[in-house]
Amino acid sequence: HKVALGSKKGKELLKLAPGYAKGKSFSEENGQNPEILPVLVGDLEGYLVSGCSQREDMVIFEGKEIKPVDFVLRSGVPLLSSWINLIQVNMKEDKPGPVVGDWLRARGHEVGITVVSKGLGVYRPEIGTFQWGNVVAFDRLSGKHLIQYEDGLREWLFLSLHFIKWVSSVTDQKKRKRTTGGGVSASKRLKFV
């Protein structure tokens, strides 16, 4: 089960995740709010979120963001494989569900290749704004999408864990040009390999 961002529980969790605190007022209009995924490993329960830096996933545990590897280590479960294959989704009635890797892979397949070549903004809490780019690939094995940003940086993301704003209208494209600076359109500045 997913914790709704606007719910009481979702708002409480956002206070614990410094990266989300700035962006909590975003709505799903032309975008998506991040999934706050209840997780468990051993006897420990937490919530998987995209970390404040947005460069790695984090678990909110006991009111703090910690790395998923540390969450597994604190549980006493042997770290015999990647954390993504050890931490489970906490389903309704506190029953363990699929491992996080399977869950996120399935969530990535929900949009799959249909979003490849679409423009989007990924919210960056450390700078308090969206970083604009395009989805350039989808990895079927992991469920991640490759984003190429206007500054040339590329990264693989689980889109369901991020604040996303899709470029879908002329107004959005004009706003995107204003926030990225320069007179050249964002699509002309991107170099696809």
Side-chain angles (χ1 to χ4, degrees):
H1 67 102
K2 181 175 153 178
V3 176
L5 195 62
S7 71
K8 186 175 180 180
K9 181 77 170 174
K11 288 177 183 174
E12 285 302 310
L13 287 171
L14 289 179
K15 290 178 186 173
L16 301 175
Y20 286 159
K22 290 180 187 174
K24 67 183 176 186
S25 62
F26 293 121
S27 70
E28 292 193 31
E29 183 182 326
N30 270 347
Q32 82 181 31
N33 284 322
E35 181 171 26
I36 301 171
L37 192 60
V39 294
L40 59 90
V41 62
D43 292 335
L44 302 184
E45 295 183 10
Y47 294 88
L48 183 71
V49 297
S50 176
C52 183
S53 69
Q54 298 284 57
R55 300 291 182 221
E56 63 184 319
D57 302 319
M58 301 296 273
V59 173
I60 298 175
F61 174 69
E62 295 181 342
K64 296 179 193 157
E65 281 187 347
I66 63 172
K67 293 181 180 182
V69 168
D70 295 333
F71 184 59
V72 172
L73 293 173
R74 286 183 186 198
S75 75
V77 171
L79 195 59
L80 300 175
S81 67
S82 170
W83 67 266
I84 208 161
N85 295 317
L86 296 172
I87 298 175
Q88 292 178 279
V89 176
N90 194 356
M91 303 303 282
K92 290 179 182 171
E93 298 150 12
D94 292 326
K95 292 182 183 172
V99 294
V100 168
D102 291 344
W103 181 276
L104 293 174
R105 185 178 312 105
R107 297 284 284 139
H109 278 271
E110 287 175 4
V111 290
I113 60 170
T114 64
V115 296
V116 172
S117 81
K118 290 194 175 182
L120 82 167
V122 178
Y123 185 69
R124 297 295 185 202
E126 68 275 16
I127 56 175
T129 189
F130 286 88
Q131 186 175 7
W132 296 97
N134 287 342
V135 180
V136 294
F138 172 63
D139 178 23
R140 292 177 189 272
L141 291 177
S142 70
K144 288 184 175 184
H145 288 82
L146 179 62
I147 313 303
Q148 179 166 337
Y149 298 103
E150 293 173 343
D151 62 5
L153 175 71
R154 300 175 114 201
E155 71 178 331
W156 289 95
L157 295 177
F158 290 114
L159 293 181
S160 66
L161 293 179
H162 294 271
F163 281 117
I164 300 291
K165 198 171 243 189
W166 295 101
V167 176
S168 61
S169 68
V170 175
T171 309
D172 284 345
Q173 289 170 355
K174 286 180 182 173
K175 189 186 300 180
R176 180 177 170 180
K177 281 184 191 177
R178 278 198 313 271
T179 60
T180 56
V184 180
S185 79
S187 58
K188 288 182 183 172
R189 283 200 309 263
L190 285 177
K191 301 258 190 271
F192 293 97
V193 220

